[in-house]
Amino acid sequence: MSQTVDKPSVEQIWEWLDAVPDPEIPVISLVDLGIIRDVAWDGDTLEVAVTPTYSGCPATSVINMDIETALRDHGLDNIRLKTQIAPPWTTDWLSDKGRAKLEEYGIAPPQPAGGPEKCPHCGSKNVTLVSQFGSTPCKAHWRCQDCLEPFDYFKCI
Amino acid sequence: MTRDEAFTQFLLRMGDNTLILGHRVSEWCGHAPVLEEDIALANTALDLIGQTQMWLGLAGEVQGEGKSADDIAFLRDVWDFRNLLLVEVPNGDFGRTLMRQCLFDAWHSIQLGHLMKSSDERVAAIAAKASKEVAYHLERSADTVVGLGDGTEESHRRMQEALDYLWPYVGEMFQSDDVDAEMVKAGIAPDPASLRADFDALIGRILTEATLTIPDSAFGHKGGRTGKMHTEHLGHLLTQMQWLQRAYPGAKW
C-alpha cells in the first residue's frame, strides 16, 4: 500500500503500450491491433493480458518481448504477461486510428463483407482475390484490376 | 478409465491431428507449385501448429504429470500418438494434399462447432479460437478441390485418384469408443458418429461441384486415434519432426 504513489496509472500504461509498434506491421501499435486485453495492478505487479491474433502467429513471442522491454524502459520491473485466448481476437477490435493507418500503409483494412472495399493504392473498387493467405497469417493477397498493383488485405475474423 | 484419463486421450487426439497434419503440410514449404500456394500451405501449417500448442498444452495440464506441449510432441514414439491415419499418410501430389486438407477441414469445422459448446470452458475457448482459422482453411481447400476437380482432364483425373486413395481413411473420423462415451457423458465433446450426417452433406456439396465421385465402398482403415495400429509412415515422419530431441535430448534454445 505504501508503494501506491510510485505506481503509474493504468491509463498511463495504456498510453505507453500504444507507442509499441506491431513487429510485422509497424505503422500500427499493439493497442491499435486490439491484442492488449487488460492492464491491471495486482499489488505491486503489473499484469498485462495479451491475446494472439492467430494461434500460430510467430510474432507472438516477439510481441511479448516488446511489451516487456517497453515497460521496463519506463521503469517497471514487476511485470506479468498473461495469454488470454477467450474471447478470441477479432478484427472488430482494431481501432479506427489503426484502420486508417493500415490503409495509408497500403494494407486494405478488414470489412465485414469479407473482402477489401477498395484498392489501398488507387481507390478502385475493381479488385480480385489472389489467395486467401498472404504474407502473414492475418492477411490475404489481393490485386487491383485497374492499377494492377497487388496488395495485402487484413482478413476479417 | 477415469474421466481425466479419457479427457487426456481426447485432447491428445485433437492435438495429434493438428500436429501431424501441420507437419505434413509444412513439408510443402519451398516446394509448392506456385508461390501463392506455398505461402497458403505454410500459413495453414502454422495455424495447425498453433492449435496444437493449445490442445497439447491442455492435455499436459489435465494429465497432471507436469508435461509441456513440447514434451508431448517431441518425446513420444509412434504408439503413443492418437491422430487419425488420414493425417499421417504422405502428401502425394498437390491435389492429394488439398483433397486430404478438404476432408480434414470439413470434419474439423463441424467438430469445432460442437466443441465451442463444450462443458469445459478451456476446450470451448480453444475451439472458438481455432474455428475462426479453420473457416479459412475450409474455404480455401474446398475452392481448390472444386477448381482442380472441375478443371482440366488431368487435374480431374488426379483429384479423383486422390479421393479414391483417401476415402477409406474418412470412416475413422466417426468411430466412437469408450473415450468418446466418457466425453459425451461429461458434456465435453460430441459423439464422433453423430457428426457423420453433417459431414456427408458438406463434403457431398463440395465434391458434386468438383464433379468428383465418392467411391462406393464402406471399407475403412482404422487404428490411428486409438493408437493400436498406425501406418508405417508415422515413424518416418517422427524421425524428421523429432530429430533434434532424439539427437540432443533435452536441448533448449
Side-chain angles (χ1 to χ4, degrees):
Chain A
M1 285 297 150
S2 59
Q3 303 266 318
T4 325
V5 280
D6 300 317
K7 285 196 290 195
S9 70
V10 166
E11 290 74 25
Q12 175 66 67
I13 290 157
W14 276 103
E15 217 169 282
W16 288 339
L17 292 174
D18 197 24
V20 182
D22 174 82
E24 298 274 5
I25 314 165
V27 288
I28 60 171
S29 78
L30 299 181
V31 174
D32 286 330
L33 191 58
I35 60 170
I36 310 283
R37 300 315 303 157
D38 195 31
V39 175
W41 285 102
D42 174 17
D44 286 333
T45 303
L46 180 74
E47 193 173 82
V48 180
V50 186
T51 197
T53 51
Y54 282 75
S55 49
C57 183
T60 308
S61 57
V62 178
I63 286 172
N64 286 347
M65 208 164 69
D66 289 350
I67 292 172
E68 210 164 326
T69 308
L71 295 177
R72 283 188 197 287
D73 286 350
H74 285 288
L76 297 180
D77 285 325
N78 224 339
I79 308 157
R80 187 163 63 225
L81 292 182
K82 190 174 82 174
T83 303
Q84 183 180 314
I85 63 163
W89 179 77
T90 157
T91 36
D92 294 346
W93 294 343
L94 268 173
S95 70
D96 289 342
K97 166 166 74 91
R99 295 175 66 91
K101 282 187 174 170
L102 277 179
E103 189 148 29
E104 218 174 287
Y105 187 60
I107 299 172
Q111 301 294 341
E117 189 198 358
K118 55 185 195 298
C119 166
H121 304 299
C122 74
S124 163
K125 298 205 170 175
N126 188 11
V127 292
T128 183
L129 173 73
V130 177
S131 171
Q132 279 101 334
F133 292 88
S135 55
T136 63
C138 56
K139 287 175 284 178
H141 190 187
W142 286 66
R143 183 174 51 224
C144 175
Q145 300 288 71
D146 284 332
C147 74
L148 302 179
E149 286 292 325
F151 63 91
D152 273 333
Y153 163 64
F154 209 99
K155 292 191 291 205
C156 187
I157 69 164
Chain B
M1 184 166 37
T2 66
R3 199 201 79 138
D4 276 356
E5 280 165 2
F7 194 12
T8 304
Q9 288 298 309
F10 166 77
L11 293 166
L12 291 175
R13 288 172 178 181
M14 291 304 296
D16 285 346
N17 278 337
T18 50
L19 173 63
I20 300 302
L21 184 58
H23 184 86
R24 274 290 183 228
V25 175
S26 79
E27 290 172 358
W28 275 102
C29 192
H31 300 280
V34 290
L35 185 60
E36 285 79 6
E37 293 306 328
D38 204 287
I39 291 170
L41 286 165
N43 269 307
T44 305
L46 198 59
D47 285 344
L48 292 169
I49 301 296
Q51 293 165 19
T52 304
Q53 287 175 337
M54 299 192 284
W55 289 124
L56 294 187
L58 182 54
E61 198 179 312
V62 172
Q63 192 181 34
E65 292 172 12
K67 287 186 183 147
S68 68
D70 279 346
D71 292 339
I72 296 174
F74 296 118
L75 303 178
R76 287 179 303 157
D77 213 334
V78 171
W79 47 82
D80 292 322
F81 277 77
R82 295 291 178 268
N83 56 280
L84 298 163
L85 298 178
L86 174 74
V87 301
E88 70 193 44
V89 294
N91 288 332
D93 61 14
F94 179 74
R96 194 204 278 179
T97 297
L98 266 295
M99 178 61 79
R100 180 185 59 198
Q101 191 67 39
C102 186
L103 295 169
F104 182 80
D105 292 343
W107 169 82
H108 203 194
S109 65
I110 296 166
Q111 167 82 339
L112 292 172
H114 285 273
L115 295 181
M116 283 166 71
K117 295 171 278 181
S118 173
S119 64
D120 186 285
E121 62 181 28
R122 297 165 298 181
V123 170
I126 297 172
K129 181 83 197 150
S131 75
K132 290 184 165 210
E133 296 160 0
V134 171
Y136 267 97
H137 299 174
L138 178 62
E139 187 185 321
R140 172 173 173 278
S141 61
D143 276 1
T144 315
V145 164
V146 170
L148 292 173
D150 189 16
T152 65
E153 206 173 301
E154 184 179 356
S155 72
H156 175 85
R157 175 182 59 77
R158 288 198 191 207
M159 292 312 275
Q160 186 62 54
E161 281 171 11
L163 181 60
D164 293 346
Y165 176 81
L166 293 169
W167 192 254
Y169 292 96
V170 165
E172 194 186 8
M173 296 168 172
F174 308 102
Q175 275 165 3
S176 309
D177 64 7
D178 294 351
V179 170
D180 300 303
E182 198 64 40
M183 290 301 93
V184 171
K185 206 166 80 188
I188 291 174
D191 178 5
S194 71
L195 308 184
R196 182 88 213 212
D198 284 348
F199 175 86
D200 284 342
L202 176 56
I203 211 73
R205 278 198 302 276
I206 297 167
L207 294 177
T208 302
E209 203 187 329
T211 69
L212 298 171
T213 312
I214 293 177
D216 184 19
S217 161
F219 172 73
H221 298 288
K222 56 178 194 253
R225 72 196 297 275
T226 57
K228 285 205 178 91
M229 196 160 54
H230 281 283
T231 67
E232 71 270 32
H233 308 298
L234 183 61
H236 292 275
L237 183 151
L238 295 185
T239 58
Q240 290 254 324
M241 191 183 85
Q242 300 178 331
W243 177 83
L244 194 97
Q245 282 302 325
R246 286 168 185 256
Y248 303 98
K252 282 193 167 61
W253 69 90

